[in-house]
Amino acid sequence: MKHILLAEDDFDFGSILKQYLEIHNYSVTWAKDGKEALSIFSEGKFDICVFDVMMPKMDGFTLAEKVVDIDPEIPFIFLTAKKMKEDKIRGLKLGADDYIVKPFEADILVLKLQNILKRTRKVESVKEDVVRIGNYEFDIVNHQLKLNEESQRLTEKETLLIQYLWEHRNAMIKREDVLKDVWGNDDFFSGRSMDVFISRLRKYFKEDNNINIESVRGVGLTFNIA
């Protein structure tokens, strides 16, 4: 059972949301303000957080910043009644996995939680320090890609991108998912950066014809390994 930290100051809405999530087999700890949520998070273990933006004592944005300082890998979603573009951008820049504007159907939140946790499980699936990708040896810890006696030194971003592609191999990967999970946002400049990195990886893997990074226009890409 996945454990959710819910920070929501509206008592009626928070109570209903907690009950609904528990019906869908989530364990929910509910904090009524940002300060309480931070204290609870510091002492517990959670799989994902759901933060209202407008809360007393500490707003959701500030709460998220402090939570990420404690655990940089924790996924979180913002809930807000605000529709301003600047607020959404701020939330995503903080690393939010999603941003839901009230009012919304509770089913939407459940589906988003399921999708985020599914991605998180995939990211956690590679536990080895070294994995075999076709004829290559991918050393995650030392940031190296080896083929026979030759070794290619990788940057941290290249390592993260290869790891992400490997974890999602032989499946269609949405472009926005790669940008959000590896670059932290999906703006224009990050998109151009990703295109450069993908071209670089194609050169790295060119000696193995069974490995193919294919871009699908308007959709995303695939990391195919025969």
Side-chain angles (χ1 to χ4, degrees):
M1 185 178 289
K2 296 298 183 180
H3 194 184
I4 299 173
L5 174 59
L6 171 64
E8 171 59 62
D9 65 306
D10 185 311
F11 185 85
D12 291 335
F13 181 71
S15 178
I16 292 171
L17 198 55
K18 181 178 187 294
Q19 293 178 45
Y20 192 84
L21 292 171
E22 289 174 341
I23 289 172
H24 285 78
N25 298 316
Y26 290 102
S27 172
V28 182
T29 298
W30 175 26
K32 312 305 189 299
D33 60 65
K35 188 175 180 180
E36 181 188 8
L38 180 61
S39 176
I40 292 172
F41 185 84
S42 300
E43 298 174 358
K45 181 174 177 57
F46 298 89
D47 297 290
I48 192 167
C49 299
V50 179
F51 297 152
D52 184 33
V53 170
M54 301 299 292
M55 291 188 293
K57 298 184 180 179
M58 184 184 297
D59 65 80
F61 292 139
T62 304
L63 172 61
E65 289 176 338
K66 294 182 181 296
V67 162
V68 170
D69 284 340
I70 297 171
D71 182 2
E73 302 301 322
I74 188 73
F76 59 94
I77 295 174
F78 282 126
L79 307 179
T80 182
K82 303 176 88 174
K83 296 183 179 181
M84 292 179 62
K85 179 181 178 182
E86 292 78 8
D87 289 324
K88 186 171 184 179
I89 291 173
R90 182 182 177 188
L92 294 176
K93 283 185 175 180
L94 286 173
D97 291 82
D98 220 318
Y99 194 102
I100 306 177
V101 177
K102 299 176 183 178
F104 60 88
E105 296 293 334
D107 285 342
I108 297 297
L109 175 59
V110 170
L111 289 173
K112 288 180 180 294
L113 288 169
Q114 290 173 348
N115 289 337
I116 292 168
L117 290 169
K118 187 185 299 182
R119 290 202 303 268
T120 303
R121 285 195 295 272
K122 287 180 179 179
V123 169
E124 292 174 347
S125 65
V126 174
K127 298 297 183 182
E128 305 92 342
D129 292 338
V130 178
V131 296
R132 194 77 186 178
I133 303 179
N135 294 327
Y136 292 83
E137 185 179 276
F138 176 38
D139 188 332
I140 299 171
V141 174
N142 295 308
H143 295 203
Q144 290 183 330
L145 190 65
K146 301 177 183 178
L147 178 64
N148 301 322
E149 300 301 319
E150 295 187 7
S151 177
Q152 172 66 52
R153 184 71 178 175
L154 303 170
T155 66
E156 181 176 359
K157 183 72 73 177
E158 289 170 342
T159 301
L160 289 172
L161 181 56
I162 293 174
Q163 184 175 355
Y164 189 88
L165 294 176
W166 167 250
E167 290 162 355
H168 298 78
R169 59 194 178 276
N170 297 324
M172 176 58 66
I173 312 169
K174 291 183 179 180
R175 182 178 176 85
E176 56 265 33
D177 287 343
V178 183
L179 288 168
K180 188 161 55 177
D181 294 340
V182 179
W183 269 261
N185 61 72
D186 58 356
D187 61 21
F188 173 79
F189 298 102
S190 295
R192 292 297 299 271
S193 175
M194 188 182 85
D195 291 338
V196 171
F197 274 82
I198 291 295
S199 297
R200 198 178 298 168
L201 295 194
R202 287 193 178 106
K203 294 178 182 178
Y204 292 167
F205 287 110
K206 68 180 181 180
E207 299 301 326
D208 188 340
N209 293 328
N210 292 317
I211 299 175
N212 180 39
I213 305 176
E214 181 180 358
S215 297
V216 181
R217 187 176 180 83
V219 181
L221 54 90
T222 58
F223 186 59
N224 298 314
I225 304 173

